[in-house]
Amino acid sequence: MPIPTSTSRTPSFKSVAIGAAVALLSGIAINSIAAAAPGAYDKQFLSKAADAGSTEIAASKVAQSKSSNAEVKKFADAMVTDHTKVADELKQLASSKQIEVSDQPGKKHQAQIDKLSRLEGAQFDKEYAATIGVAAHKEAVKLFTDASQKASDPDIKAFAAKTLPGLQHHLEMATTLHTAVGK
C-alpha cells in the first residue's frame, strides 16, 4: 500500500506560528540589547568622570609628596583613597557596559598637574586646594548631579547618585582646606 505524500509546499499552521514566534522573540531580543546599550550622554559621563577621578588621584599623589602642610597631606590622602575606590567602581561599571575609559588624566588636566608640580610651599598648597580641591570638586558635583538625573542607563544613573554625596563631602572639605591655606 502506497504511503500518501503531500506534494504541496504550503506551510502548515504550526510552522507559520513557530516562525512568527521566532521572529517576534528575535525582535524583542534586539530591542532589549539596543535599550540596554548606554547612550552618548552616558558614555560621555563615564569618560569625564574617569578623567576627573584620575586627575584627583594624580594631583593628590603630588600633594602627598610635595606639601609640608599636615592638613593638605590629610586631604590628599583622603582624595587618593576615596577616588581610587570610585575609579575602580567606575572601571567595573564601564567594562560591564562595554565602554572603555582611561585611567590617566586627559591632556588639559595633565597640564594642570604639571603646572601644580612646579610650585613649592604655601603657593603649592593654595593652588592645590583651589584647583584640585574646590574647583575640581565643584565640576565633579555638577557632573554627577546631572548624570544622576539625566543618564539613560539605570546602572550609570545609580552609580552617579550613589557617588554624589561623597563628592559633596569632598567639596566641603576642600572649601575648609582652601580657607585654611589661603591665609
Side-chain angles (χ1 to χ4, degrees):
M1 176 185 257
I3 300 176
T5 59
S6 172
T7 57
S8 169
R9 295 274 182 194
T10 308
S12 70
F13 177 74
K14 182 178 177 184
S15 64
V16 170
I18 290 172
V22 167
L24 178 65
L25 291 174
S26 296
I28 290 171
I30 289 169
N31 286 340
S32 295
I33 290 168
Y41 176 87
D42 295 1
K43 291 175 183 177
Q44 185 179 32
F45 162 72
L46 290 175
S47 178
K48 286 182 175 183
D51 181 39
S54 62
T55 300
E56 287 279 341
I57 294 165
S60 294
K61 285 181 178 180
V62 171
Q64 287 174 321
S65 65
K66 282 198 78 125
S67 181
S68 57
N69 182 308
E71 290 304 309
V72 170
K73 285 184 173 282
K74 181 179 171 185
F75 178 79
D77 290 346
M79 294 308 100
V80 170
T81 300
D82 294 352
H83 284 280
T84 298
K85 181 179 177 241
V86 170
D88 291 343
E89 290 176 32
L90 187 143
K91 284 180 212 167
Q92 287 178 343
L93 175 61
S95 177
S96 76
K97 305 295 178 183
Q98 287 80 44
I99 298 171
E100 197 171 316
V101 294
S102 176
D103 61 354
Q104 298 297 314
K107 288 181 181 181
K108 173 187 159 199
H109 287 132
Q110 188 57 55
Q112 187 179 31
I113 294 166
D114 293 344
K115 177 183 173 190
L116 189 62
S117 296
R118 292 188 289 274
L119 301 176
E120 299 290 333
Q123 188 180 13
F124 171 87
D125 295 339
K126 287 178 190 178
E127 188 67 18
Y128 170 74
T131 59
I132 301 303
V134 177
H137 281 96
K138 280 183 180 178
E139 288 176 20
V141 165
K142 180 172 178 6
L143 178 68
F144 278 73
T145 298
D146 289 349
S148 71
Q149 298 165 359
K150 297 177 184 176
S152 58
D153 184 281
D155 297 331
I156 294 172
K157 187 179 255 189
F159 169 76
K162 179 186 91 166
T163 307
L164 185 56
L167 293 171
Q168 290 167 328
H169 177 66
H170 287 174
L171 178 56
E172 291 169 14
M173 292 169 56
T175 302
T176 301
L177 178 65
H178 185 245
T179 301
V181 299
K183 295 178 180 175

